[in-house]
Amino acid sequence: DAGVTQSPTHLIKTRGQQVTLRCSPISGHKSVSWYQQVLGQGPQFIFQYYEKEERGRGNFPDRFSARQFPNYSSELNVNALLLGDSALYLCASSLALLNTEAFFGQGTRLTVV
Amino acid sequence: QKEVEQDPGPLSVPEGAIVSLNCTYSNSAFQYFMWYRQYSRKGPELLMYTYSSGNKEDGRFTAQVDKSSKYISLFIRDSQPSDSATYLCAPGTYSGGGADGLTFGKGTHLIIQP
């Protein structure tokens, strides 16, 4: 059974550009969450989607947005990239809204230059 | 004060030792408590979760929660070199129809010496 898959695995962007990251949850999981992990820190919560609706949002600027599709896959968009957006972006999927047994993908490493 | 605090380490112990990893938190609203293991440049891997105060055991791992002192521990018995990784504690809340996500500590870097 496939786990959480994220694409791309690595990405280099220039300041001011926009980026879209993609996530496919575990089959049967209806909730997808996005986290940002800066080097040396723990992951920080960005968004949680459940049944295609945003159900939670962390303390991130409006440059960050996301959506969930009918097949429960998700995209995270970041506009007007800053150097400080360089991080590992992690997607986690869970069966329901409760985040017990939230399983993470391998992440997308974004470098902004 | 950060919501979740962990000693970043590194914590270095010999193979076969019992490892104790600890975490403190400040938010009384946390209702469940997760432990993840993260190898370098990989996504976090779920080890265990627990809802209540007390102990929960799974193989070589035991998670312990003391809600009265807001203290979380993970014990690893018979530690192996393959256990060398960063261990993240992540309490969570569930509030009605919303979701607050998991709140992660910085993680403790563990090194098991062969």
Side-chain angles (χ1 to χ4, degrees), chain B residues 65-80:
Chain B
V65 175
D66 182 346
K67 286 188 175 181
S68 62
S69 59
K70 299 188 180 66
Y71 196 83
I72 314 165
S73 298
L74 179 72
F75 299 96
I76 307 174
R77 291 181 297 282
D78 187 24
S79 56
Q80 305 294 313

Side-chain angles (χ1 to χ4, degrees), chain B:
Chain B
Q1 181 187 10
K2 291 187 182 294
E3 277 197 289
V4 180
E5 304 234 34
Q6 287 184 266
D7 184 338
L11 174 63
S12 184
V13 301
E15 182 176 355
I18 296 175
V19 177
S20 172
L21 301 165
N22 305 303
C23 194
T24 59
Y25 64 94
S26 59
N27 187 352
S28 302
F30 288 138
Q31 298 159 303
Y32 54 93
F33 306 88
M34 321 282 285
W35 280 98
Y36 286 87
R37 176 174 63 193
Q38 186 173 28
Y39 294 110
S40 181
R41 297 185 168 270
K42 301 291 186 184
E45 173 192 3
L46 177 62
L47 289 175
M48 298 181 69
Y49 73 91
T50 182
Y51 285 97
S52 56
S53 282
N55 294 351
K56 181 178 180 180
E57 189 174 317
D58 185 0
R60 295 186 297 113
F61 298 91
T62 299
Q64 189 175 80
V65 175
D66 182 346
K67 286 188 175 181
S68 62
S69 59
K70 299 188 180 66
Y71 196 83
I72 314 165
S73 298
L74 179 72
F75 299 96
I76 307 174
R77 291 181 297 282
D78 187 24
S79 56
Q80 305 294 313
S82 59
D83 294 328
S84 298
T86 296
Y87 288 80
L88 299 155
C89 69
T93 60
Y94 175 68
S95 50
D100 300 322
L102 296 171
T103 303
F104 283 85
K106 279 189 178 182
T108 297
H109 181 43
L110 174 66
I111 300 169
I112 307 298
Q113 301 165 332

Side-chain angles (χ1 to χ4, degrees), chain A residues 4-27:
Chain A
V4 179
T5 57
Q6 292 187 243
S7 63
T9 53
H10 296 85
L11 201 51
I12 299 175
K13 289 286 189 178
T14 304
R15 270 183 303 173
Q17 285 189 314
Q18 175 263 341
V19 68
T20 298
L21 311 180
R22 296 176 175 81
C23 173
S24 293
I26 293 169
S27 177

Side-chain angles (χ1 to χ4, degrees), chain A residues 60-113:
Chain A
F60 278 81
D62 291 343
R63 298 184 298 107
F64 289 77
S65 63
R67 55 180 174 168
Q68 187 177 32
F69 298 101
N71 66 353
Y72 302 108
S73 67
S74 178
E75 287 182 350
L76 175 70
N77 295 285
V78 187
N79 293 322
L81 285 165
L82 303 174
L83 295 179
D85 294 331
S86 296
L88 181 67
Y89 287 85
L90 295 161
C91 172
S93 81
S94 54
L95 272 171
L97 196 56
L98 199 61
N99 282 298
T100 55
E101 297 192 276
F103 296 93
F104 282 83
Q106 293 302 292
T108 294
R109 186 161 298 279
L110 172 65
T111 302
V112 182
V113 297

